[in-house]
Amino acid sequence: MTDLPTEHDAAVTNRAILTGSAYSTGRDLAARQSLYQWQTPRYDLPGIIVDRLQQVSGTVVDVGCGNGKFISRLNQDRPDLRVLGLDVSLGILDGVPRPVGVADAERLPLRTGSVNAALALHMLYHVQDIPVAIKELGRVVTDNGIVIASTNSDRDKAELDRLWERAAGEVLGVDRGPSRISLSARFSLEKAPALLGAEFHKIEATELPGTIAVRTPGPVIAHMESYRAWADQHDVPFDATIDRARAILTDHIDRHGAFEISCLGGILVCSR
C-alpha cells in the first residue's frame, strides 16, 4: 500500500473524529473486530495477550483499551492482576470493566515505573506523536516490565483496498478510484520495530497471517461502513461507494461461492 496523503494521515489522529464519531461508541470497532470470525486460522488474540503476560504480576494498563475486549479477558483469566483501562474517548468506555479513565497516550496519568506491563493494541497509529507515546509507555513500566503492541501489515486486507478502489472508480466513472483510508499505515507491522526500537532493546515480533472467507456481503460491508467517521477523507461519495461495493461482492460470491481476504497482523512484545 502506498503512503496516504497528508490529510488522510492527519484524519487518523484527529481528536474530534476519534472521540466524536469513530470511537464515540464501540459499534464501529466491534464491526471491524467481527470480520475475523471468518478467518482461518482463527486467532484468540485476547488469549495470546494473556499468554504473553504469563510471567507478569501486579498492575497492567491497557492504553487505548477501546471496548474493553482485552480487559474482560484479563479479568477472567488473570484475576490476580490489577488492570486499568485508559482511552482518549469517554464514550467507548461505557461498559468497560472498571477502573477506567480518559487519557492521552502522549501524557499518561501514571507515575514513572508504576505498572508491570502496558498494552498498546491496535491504537498507536491514532496517536499524533508516536515516538512520544512509545516513550510514555516505556516511562510508566518498571525496568523489567514489558510493553505489548499490535498492528497490521501494510499488506493486510489488500483485497478490500482493491474492492474499494474498483467501487469508487465505478461511482466516479474512472478506471480506478481513490484509495480508502488506512488506519494502521502510520504504525504498520513493517514500521513498528524501528519505532519501538528507539525505546526498547528487545522486541519479539509474532506475525499472525490468515485468510478471511465470507459467503455473504454483510460482514465485509459492515467492516467498510465502520470507516464512516472518515467518509470526508475518501474523496468519493461514501454511501454510493458502499452500495457499489455490495453489488460487486454479491456478484463475486454468486460466481465463486466466497470472497477471500488475505490478513496479516502481528504482536510485538517489547522489553529493555
Side-chain angles (χ1 to χ4, degrees):
M1 179 182 294
T2 57
D3 289 338
L4 290 169
T6 302
E7 62 270 20
H8 286 199
D9 190 72
V12 171
T13 65
N14 185 292
R15 180 68 63 86
I17 293 175
L18 296 177
T19 61
S21 52
Y23 300 103
S24 59
T25 71
R27 181 194 60 195
D28 289 340
L29 177 58
R32 290 194 287 278
Q33 292 170 336
S34 68
L35 186 62
Y36 293 96
Q37 295 178 51
W38 289 271
Q39 178 174 292
T40 304
R42 288 281 298 275
Y43 296 106
D44 177 12
L45 194 54
I48 292 173
I49 299 303
V50 169
D51 182 67
R52 295 297 191 274
L53 293 172
Q54 201 169 57
Q55 304 303 316
V56 172
S57 59
T59 302
V60 176
V61 59
D62 186 353
V63 180
C65 66
N67 55 15
K69 179 178 180 179
F70 295 94
I71 292 176
S72 295
R73 184 62 173 272
L74 282 169
N75 286 346
Q76 173 187 307
D77 291 4
R78 291 291 309 275
D80 57 301
L81 294 174
R82 295 186 297 274
V83 184
L84 168 65
L86 298 176
D87 202 277
V88 72
S89 174
L90 175 63
I92 204 169
L93 292 172
D94 185 35
V96 176
R98 271 44 182 169
V100 297
V102 175
D104 188 327
E106 297 175 49
R107 294 182 297 276
L108 294 173
L110 300 170
R111 295 191 307 276
T112 297
S114 61
V115 303
N116 304 91
L119 309 180
L121 305 174
H122 281 79
M123 57 72 61
L124 278 170
Y125 38 73
H126 284 309
V127 176
Q128 288 191 357
D129 194 326
I130 295 173
V132 167
I134 291 172
K135 286 185 71 69
E136 272 291 270
L137 292 169
R139 179 185 68 79
V140 301
V141 297
T142 58
D143 289 340
N144 60 349
I146 63 171
V147 168
I148 305 178
S150 66
T151 188
N152 293 325
S153 166
D154 287 327
R155 307 189 305 276
D156 180 63
K157 301 182 186 71
E159 293 84 359
L160 289 190
D161 296 328
R162 291 194 291 270
L163 173 62
W164 178 269
E165 289 167 4
R166 177 183 168 186
E170 292 182 7
V171 167
L172 295 174
V174 297
D175 289 340
R176 176 176 159 180
S179 299
R180 72 186 187 121
I181 198 166
S182 171
L183 297 184
S184 57
R186 299 178 65 247
F187 184 78
S188 66
L189 203 54
E190 290 77 11
K191 297 182 178 75
L195 288 163
L196 293 164
E199 180 70 20
F200 302 99
H201 295 122
K202 182 179 179 183
I203 300 171
E204 176 192 344
T206 302
E207 292 190 351
L208 303 172
T211 301
I212 291 171
V214 297
R215 290 170 174 77
T216 62
V220 171
I221 295 302
H223 185 280
M224 297 178 86
E225 284 184 322
S226 75
Y227 287 75
R228 183 175 295 278
W230 294 281
D232 291 344
Q233 303 298 318
H234 284 280
D235 301 321
V236 69
F238 188 80
D239 288 325
T241 303
I242 290 291
D243 289 342
R244 187 62 201 141
R246 183 184 287 106
I248 293 169
L249 276 170
T250 300
D251 179 66
H252 181 97
I253 293 169
D254 286 346
R255 288 187 291 110
H256 301 283
F259 180 77
E260 294 190 351
I261 304 163
S262 301
C263 299
L264 181 56
I267 295 173
L268 304 102
V269 181
C270 312
S271 57
R272 294 185 173 90

